[in-house]
Amino acid sequence: MTTRVHIGLPVPPRNHPALLRGRGRFVDDLPFPGARHVAVLRSPVAHGRVTAFDATAARADPRCLLVLGPADVAELTDPIPLAWLLPDQRLDHVELAVDVVRYAGQPIGLVVATDRAAAEDVAELVDVRVEPLPAVASTAAALAPGAPRLHAEAEGNVVGRTHFGTPRDRLDEAFAEAHLVVEREFGIQRVSHSPLEPRGLVAEWEPGPGLLTVHASTQSPHAVRQELAAVLRLRADRVRVVARDVGGSFGGKVALHADEALVCLAAVVLGGQVKWVEDRVENLTAAYQGRGQRTRARLAVAADGRFLALHADVVGDLGAFAVQAGSGPLQVTALTIEGPYRFPAAGGTVTAVCTNLVPVGAYRGYGMQESTFIRERLVDEAARELGVDPVALRLRNMVEPGDMPYTTCTGLVYDSGDYSAALRSAARRVAPPSSAGPVRRGSAVTATVEMSGFAPSALIRQFDIAWAGWEGVRLVVNHDGTVTVHAGVTAVGQGIETSLAQIAADGLGVPLRWVDVRLGDTATAPHSDLASQASRALVLAGGALLRAAARLRARVLGLAARALDVPEADVVLDVPADVEPGSPEAVFRGASGVISWRELAHRAWRGWHRPEGVERIRLEENVDFDPPAITFAHGAHGAAVAVDVDTGVVTVEDYWTVHDNGVLVNPLVAEGQVVGGVAQGIGLALFEEVRHDPDTAEPLSTTFREYPLPAARDVPRVDVRHLCTPSPANPGGFKGLGEGGAIPPAATIACAVAAAVPEIAEVLTATPMTPERVWAALREAGIEGSPQWTER
Amino acid sequence: MNGTARTARAEPRTSLGEHLRTALGLTGTHLGCEQGDCGACAVLLDGEPVCSCLVLAVQADGCRVETVESLARGDDLGPAQRALLEEHGLQCGFCTPGLLMRMTHARRTGAPASDVLGGHLCRCTGYGGLRAAVERHCAVEARKEDQP
Amino acid sequence: MKPVAFDHVAPVDLAAALDLLAERGTRAAPLAGGQSLVPLLNLRRVRPDVVVDLNHVVGLAGVRVTAGEVRIGAMTRLRVLESHPDVVAALPVLATAASAVAHPHVRTRATLGGSLCHANPAAELPAAAVALDARLVLRHRGGARVVPAAEFFTGPHTTVLAPGELLTEVVVPRVPELRFGFAELARPGGSGYPLVVALLGVAVEGGVVVAARAAAGGVAPTPVRLPGVEAALPGRRCTADDLSAGLATAPVDHAAGHRDAVLRSLLRRITAGLE
């Protein structure tokens, strides 16, 4: 049993002092003075055929070191294989060698030159001709009769379909009998992850041993390594990927992108170091994006307020092609549509559509933001139409602790939690606001369930996903007594390195600063495909680490007992809180005397004191943790908003959160994750939107001027509370919390706007709720703004 | 340059921020957008905060430039750094150097906390700890620590 | 992205700068504070052969107040403009408008002339120049002309400036009888760029408005005066209610729609402060 000393303490992240000194090691900060620089050649149009690629003039520039075009790429690479397909999906790879471009910004080739500015100069000399084809700028356009067909493998531009939960005919029956059916069409826009550090990598090829080392800003170095090996036709053991400091990711850095593979190809062709750091325009126009769906959904309610059925018909925009987990977020929207409520019948239907827009990948919340928005808006609308309190309606239908484990219609098994308690807690704190003048105020609370700790190998196999779901750690007590944690999960600013150190320290019973945590280097990190995504790093690596620490602690105590020649039960580890690992005060005590921690560690590495017949010497433990089940976090959010009916401006004035993330390892990190997630949710709710020209499908959001991120003035103080129902699905009782903050804000804010201005509640079904759109809805509803002012 | 005379050549088109990072090897200053929108690259030029992505390196010839690397004294973090550390005012830390320079300038000049956060984008924190750190750093009481 | 390669020339006297601009014509880009030009350079949307850096030209910055007008050098930084005691005293609304531009670390460098020449139709200072009937002094090698602000702007990001011509000074008549207010609605999110800006000034005698001046940015391709508003207010009592009622009768001088609604909201907000 682990004694909690550091677990639960608000320990400041251990890498922060270095970051605050300007000593971060982001990709572009790494000292590679000899690196050559890449400019990526990108398609200027959203759909077209590459008819010519002439680099003669470019190659004549003395600063030009290499030009790669489609023919070179075709000769030297294989496509990137996909990992998660829909049952009938025939598009199963990402093309690197492009003869037909399918989005503006798609990489066609690259130029390597002496520095970045020179590379951009030389890139302008490459004569790339693209013969434009008609472009498709939305799923509606893609599905329209006679729409241009993007892929031979996607008839009607449908990449694949699936359905989860109650069969459709039974759903239709349930709706037919209902007292009330609320049906709406929901729109969730495309968003950009926009980490402050864009993507980037330095690839180094050593031709002698044939080794490729890639320093990358990535969440998933092992996955990138495997994909690179496949693409570049290299042995897996000849590729090493290293992620140092990562300046935010949010799902945008989980998958190898085609341009990143081309940069590594350039290194292999040239030898030595080649560097590419994405600029902001590229990040906004070429890096994979998030969300993007139109969903028709309906909720059936009995006269007494019982929920009878829920169905979401999700039409998702994959963009130009399916990426590695292409339809994953859409499938998760369907799977999680029920949320915290009981439904006799519920299901989700998914249609994945390709368009001539930037491909869509993972984004924080991964389909659950979408399902929460759809469901919570429907529930609020049902309450409005029934004339009942929306909180009461929610409580009436909630899955209760006594129902656990609870299996949803779509087959998810909720493990634990008190959903009603979270909702009540949030509802108690949300004060009913008052309206004044042209400003109307309203508040609302919503509830959600968050899938975390993805995923058991058996479940991964059931979905035929080509990734490992388990997570491994290696915990080492070094010969000098210091402790090192190696894990496959990665630090991307979320603080996992600190949480793991806290767990290791408590698991071994040693001071926190004895522990160092090494992440992100495939040469030393245990295998991990999913690494830090899907709110799983702490749940799975933390679970593995607790087990590793318990085993290593038992071994160390056994060694100490033999060194001291006393029974194991009589050995006590006595470490004052503030001593170093080499201190003579850090000792094992037995009746016969003491031996210092450091001395014991040193002897252990010499092979001394081990029991008869035991071969194992290294003072380290490797543990792989394959969780028995997904664990579900949950929460409730409350928002108070002001709506200026003259201008349509929505201001979030107060925000409250209640989350149950099981056992919290570091409350500081937990609060930071929640508040940061809420800010992203506010951006999505009110103004973030990747826009494209509706005819040409060319990007209109190319800088932060057209894609504004939330600033301090947009985010109120967020009140953060936590409940704690330990998860039964892992040794630490942990539940994930990386995404929970980002999931409910759009739903909560939309419901609060609906409360402020019920006249437009029915049409609050799409985000972002920009001033112009809210104003248009207000005028449409006949709300004319300030009475002193008359229309012309 | 952070109190020391430094000489390095720059192409006219090279921004001050890029010049600091490459020719002078001071990679603490980060370029987040190169459009003046994010504030990550803020440095002090002759004591005033500027976006180092929007000043040409050649324009800083003969000027005093201060960057994040100047804020700690040996092992001791400076007051702005301490405030952010203790209030959990950063997560990934990429945007932090520019904000630190704005905080430093605000405390020197008596500018209010509300002046500091505008123009700085942070994608991680949601501004919770960050706002607390800036308010604490710019409080009148805190400024008294700076008096010799 | 990095800019195209260019030469950098930093003349110290105006004649030399004008010579350079005359000789290089459209191939030269005058660099003031750089807060609008350098973003465009960084996107390669502006591709000059030479950047003529005006930051060392003597005599282009500073504020001079005479009995009838305030003369402001085009290279005057917004940081100076917003807090300059003479500007605050003589043209407080100009100081307010300057302080609303972007963020402090942008205003450190940004200049009045640069902001006017960038001619963002929604920006604060172009609208202020129009509202205040500013006159813009445009110099070229061997000559100069003076253009009223209302005629300077020709469309989004376009002006009457000819190649080789430089805005050197902004002359703002003093109108002590007019009391102005300023309001803006920024676009949502962190960019902070204005969506609509509004300025409204009234001259009041015996509690009754005798003259009004109004201008807006963001509602048309250039900043515009609002003659309908200016005609509707005289005769009204200077109370928020009566001014609002006056505004309500004013014909709208541009396309209706969301931005117009925002503009009217901003004007109402200003009238509350003029009471």
Side-chain angles (χ1 to χ4, degrees), chain A residues 771, chain C residues 122 184-188 193-197 217-219 258-259 262:
Chain C
E184 77 170 50
L185 181 69
R187 292 194 222 170
Y193 292 96
L195 184 73
V196 178
V197 301
V219 295
H258 178 239
R259 287 177 181 233
V262 172

Side-chain angles (χ1 to χ4, degrees), chain A residues 286-655:
Chain A
Y288 298 162
Q289 297 170 350
R291 313 264 197 261
Q293 57 169 259
R294 299 221 54 103
T295 297
R296 190 138 201 106
R298 49 192 173 145
L299 167 68
V301 188
D304 65 357
R306 266 178 311 117
F307 293 163
L308 299 176
L310 176 66
H311 178 223
D313 195 349
V314 178
V315 177
D317 173 8
L318 294 184
F321 46 78
V323 301
Q324 284 89 324
S327 64
L330 306 174
Q331 298 192 50
V332 169
T333 297
L335 284 164
T336 60
I337 193 68
E338 291 154 86
Y341 310 113
R342 279 177 274 111
F343 290 93
T349 310
V350 172
T351 307
V353 178
C354 53
T355 61
N356 289 116
L357 304 179
V358 180
V360 166
Y363 178 64
R364 193 180 203 175
Y366 204 87
M368 294 179 280
Q369 183 274 327
E370 296 90 318
S371 58
T372 299
F373 182 72
I374 294 161
R375 179 188 62 248
E376 295 301 313
R377 285 298 298 127
L378 284 176
V379 170
D380 241 49
E381 284 295 276
R384 194 172 60 84
E385 294 196 14
L386 290 169
V388 300
D389 173 44
V391 175
L393 182 65
R394 285 179 168 88
L395 290 172
R396 167 101 176 67
N397 289 283
M398 260 176 176
V399 174
E400 294 298 332
D403 300 331
M404 300 290 178
Y406 175 83
T407 303
T408 68
C409 295
T410 58
L412 304 179
V413 183
Y414 297 161
D415 53 294
S416 62
D418 189 339
Y419 302 168
S420 296
L423 187 69
R424 283 199 190 92
S425 169
R428 266 199 304 277
R429 294 186 351 260
V430 174
S434 58
S435 295
V439 175
R440 297 245 219 127
R441 289 187 163 79
S443 63
V445 292
T446 64
T448 192
V449 177
E450 182 195 359
M451 193 190 275
S452 78
F454 189 79
S457 301
L459 182 78
I460 295 256
R461 189 170 174 193
Q462 185 189 324
F463 279 83
D464 198 22
I465 302 171
W467 280 326
W470 57 273
E471 205 54 52
V473 301
R474 188 165 92 240
L475 176 63
V476 186
V477 174
N478 299 296
H479 68 277
D480 62 355
T482 57
V483 176
T484 312
V485 177
H486 299 274
V489 299
T490 48
V492 292
Q494 84 280 45
I496 187 67
E497 68 297 319
T498 305
S499 301
L500 291 180
Q502 291 171 262
I503 292 169
D506 279 3
L508 288 172
V510 301
L512 187 60
R513 68 168 182 279
W514 290 19
V515 182
D516 206 350
V517 178
R518 297 292 168 83
L519 309 173
D521 183 347
T522 60
T524 54
H527 179 82
S528 172
D529 282 340
L530 293 165
S532 289
Q533 53 176 313
S535 298
R536 63 191 294 284
L538 178 72
V539 174
L540 303 188
L545 185 54
L546 272 176
R547 284 195 181 154
R551 288 183 201 167
L552 197 52
R553 182 180 163 91
R555 273 180 66 200
V556 167
L557 286 170
L559 293 167
R562 278 182 294 283
L564 294 169
D565 199 19
V566 296
E568 269 186 46
D570 294 351
V571 178
V572 176
L573 175 60
D574 180 4
V575 182
D578 52 353
V579 301
E580 296 302 324
S583 164
E585 291 175 61
V587 294
F588 297 91
R589 286 185 199 286
S592 61
V594 302
I595 181 170
S596 77
W597 169 273
R598 182 189 178 284
E599 176 63 17
L600 187 83
H602 208 282
R603 290 189 193 181
W605 279 95
R606 286 176 231 158
W608 298 3
H609 304 309
R610 68 187 197 273
E612 202 70 30
V614 169
E615 284 195 0
R616 193 152 56 135
I617 295 173
R618 282 176 287 173
L619 207 46
E620 61 182 50
E621 286 292 328
N622 275 281
V623 170
D624 301 329
F625 179 56
D626 189 4
I630 286 180
T631 187
F632 287 85
H634 68 94
H637 281 201
V641 304
V643 182
D644 184 330
V645 299
D646 286 347
T647 61
V649 172
V650 175
T651 306
V652 183
E653 296 188 320
D654 267 308
Y655 206 91

Side-chain angles (χ1 to χ4, degrees), chain A residues 73-345:
Chain A
V73 177
E75 185 191 333
L76 298 170
T77 66
D78 290 326
I80 304 174
L82 304 193
W84 186 0
L85 306 182
L86 285 161
D88 54 347
Q89 181 174 334
R90 290 191 291 140
L91 269 180
D92 62 358
H93 62 268
V94 173
E95 283 179 349
L96 295 192
V98 175
D99 54 359
V100 174
V101 290
R102 295 187 179 86
Y103 73 96
Q106 185 169 4
I108 295 175
L110 59 69
V111 163
V112 185
T114 45
D115 61 69
R116 175 62 180 252
E120 291 180 15
D121 295 345
V122 174
E124 291 184 346
L125 302 175
V126 180
D127 185 11
V128 185
R129 301 228 175 116
V130 183
E131 181 187 301
L133 296 168
V136 164
S138 66
T139 53
L143 296 174
R149 183 162 175 175
L150 269 56
H151 294 275
E153 302 91 334
E155 195 175 337
N157 294 320
V158 173
V159 174
R161 297 178 203 268
T162 194
H163 178 85
F164 298 103
T166 310
R168 290 197 68 153
D169 51 350
R170 280 194 38 221
L171 283 168
D172 290 340
E173 287 165 24
F175 281 101
E177 294 163 7
H179 168 75
L180 171 71
V181 175
V182 182
E183 182 165 358
R184 301 279 185 275
E185 179 157 329
F186 295 92
I188 292 129
Q189 75 276 28
R190 278 170 169 261
V191 292
S192 160
H193 310 77
S194 290
L196 262 288
E197 182 211 22
R199 296 178 297 136
L201 59 163
V202 181
E204 179 172 20
W205 175 251
E206 298 172 71
L211 288 176
L212 177 68
T213 303
V214 180
H215 286 81
S217 184
T218 176
Q219 292 170 256
S220 312
H222 277 286
V224 169
R225 167 173 171 259
Q226 292 171 86
E227 290 168 343
L228 277 176
V231 163
L232 300 175
R233 303 168 184 157
L234 295 170
R235 288 169 52 121
D237 60 2
R238 300 281 172 85
V239 182
R240 175 185 170 202
V241 177
V242 185
R244 301 287 295 274
D245 287 320
V246 174
S249 50
F250 318 115
K253 297 175 180 173
V254 298
L256 178 72
H257 286 49
D259 45 19
E260 298 167 346
L262 296 185
V263 173
C264 295
L265 173 64
V268 173
V269 172
L270 269 181
Q273 297 159 357
V274 171
K275 176 172 179 172
W276 171 69
V277 173
E278 184 180 51
D279 64 38
R280 185 54 58 189
V281 176
E282 291 179 296
N283 185 260
L284 283 167
T285 59
Y288 298 162
Q289 297 170 350
R291 313 264 197 261
Q293 57 169 259
R294 299 221 54 103
T295 297
R296 190 138 201 106
R298 49 192 173 145
L299 167 68
V301 188
D304 65 357
R306 266 178 311 117
F307 293 163
L308 299 176
L310 176 66
H311 178 223
D313 195 349
V314 178
V315 177
D317 173 8
L318 294 184
F321 46 78
V323 301
Q324 284 89 324
S327 64
L330 306 174
Q331 298 192 50
V332 169
T333 297
L335 284 164
T336 60
I337 193 68
E338 291 154 86
Y341 310 113
R342 279 177 274 111
F343 290 93

Side-chain angles (χ1 to χ4, degrees), chain B residues 6-30:
Chain B
R6 296 280 303 269
T7 305
R9 296 186 64 82
E11 264 194 277
R13 61 169 150 177
T14 304
S15 72
L16 173 61
E18 189 180 355
H19 185 64
L20 295 173
R21 295 178 46 77
T22 54
L24 298 179
L26 295 167
T27 56
T29 300
H30 292 142

Side-chain angles (χ1 to χ4, degrees), chain A residues 116-117 120-121 124 279 281 646-647 649 687 702 704-705 708-709 711 713-714 771-772 775 786 788-792, chain C residues 1-2 43-45 47 185-193 244 247-248 252 254 256-258 261-262 264-265 268:
Chain A
R116 175 62 180 252
E120 291 180 15
D121 295 345
E124 291 184 346
D279 64 38
V281 176
D646 286 347
T647 61
V649 172
F687 46 81
T702 62
F704 283 149
R705 192 174 303 198
L709 302 186
R713 69 184 171 116
D714 301 301
E772 192 167 2
W775 177 82
S786 291
Q788 301 96 325
W789 198 279
T790 52
E791 292 291 333
R792 175 162 45 160
Chain C
M1 272 174 101
K2 309 298 177 193
L43 294 170
R44 295 195 171 208
R45 284 190 200 152
R47 306 167 64 94
L185 181 69
R187 292 194 222 170
S191 74
Y193 292 96
S244 269
L247 290 172
V252 176
H254 45 81
H258 178 239
V262 172
R264 286 180 286 156
S265 167
R268 263 198 310 281

